[in-house]
Amino acid sequence: WKEGNEKVKIERKAPIWCMAWNPSRDEPVEILAVGDWDRKLSFYQLSGRQVSKDRDLDFDPCSIGYFSNGEYLCIGGSDKKVSLWTKEGVRLTTIGEREDWVWACKVRPRQNFVAV
């Protein structure tokens, strides 16, 4: 058994509220998508190095989930919507809308279903 020592620290200006690892085995490096309450979406390598510039959001993200192939993300938050995004952080469309903030959205593995 090994101690849970900190290996890499990712710091943001606002609280990090959600994150998800890209499940694709086809990517050359492992990528972590991070959503913070500065209304930003960012991507990091396992080393802690940021992959691309921050993506500005017009809402506070509360939940992030990758589809099984790692090509797409679903993001829910304070805009009361669940939206479909590319793995690079480009918004494509709205999947669903609720009457309140979307605190959790989960993609069903190996399927195109999203639970909200």
Side-chain angles (χ1 to χ4, degrees):
W1 183 78
K2 294 185 179 184
E3 293 182 28
N5 295 329
E6 183 178 286
K7 300 291 184 187
V8 174
K9 188 173 189 176
I10 296 172
E11 292 188 86
R12 305 290 302 165
K13 292 178 182 168
I16 294 173
W17 206 260
C18 52
M19 62 183 100
W21 289 103
N22 185 326
S24 174
R25 299 199 185 279
D26 298 331
E27 296 292 327
V29 294
E30 295 184 69
I31 300 293
L32 179 67
V34 175
D36 70 45
W37 277 19
D38 207 9
R39 297 184 166 204
K40 304 284 186 202
L41 174 64
S42 51
F43 299 92
Y44 293 88
Q45 292 180 355
L46 188 56
S47 66
R49 182 177 151 271
Q50 190 166 348
V51 174
S52 59
K53 64 180 178 138
D54 290 346
R55 297 291 187 164
D56 292 323
L57 304 173
D58 59 356
F59 62 95
D60 293 315
C62 299
S63 183
I64 295 178
Y66 276 96
F67 283 84
S68 297
N69 64 5
E71 291 295 315
Y72 301 100
L73 291 152
C74 68
I75 302 177
S78 64
D79 61 347
K80 304 176 184 180
K81 298 176 184 175
V82 177
S83 301
L84 182 67
W85 299 72
T86 67
K87 66 180 180 179
E88 292 85 12
V90 176
R91 187 182 182 286
L92 298 174
T93 191
T94 298
I95 296 173
E97 296 187 46
R98 309 299 300 165
E99 293 181 12
D100 207 345
W101 288 26
V102 176
W103 288 100
C105 56
K106 295 293 178 191
V107 178
R108 184 175 180 187
R110 296 173 299 283
Q111 300 287 323
N112 288 328
F113 297 105
V114 177
V116 178

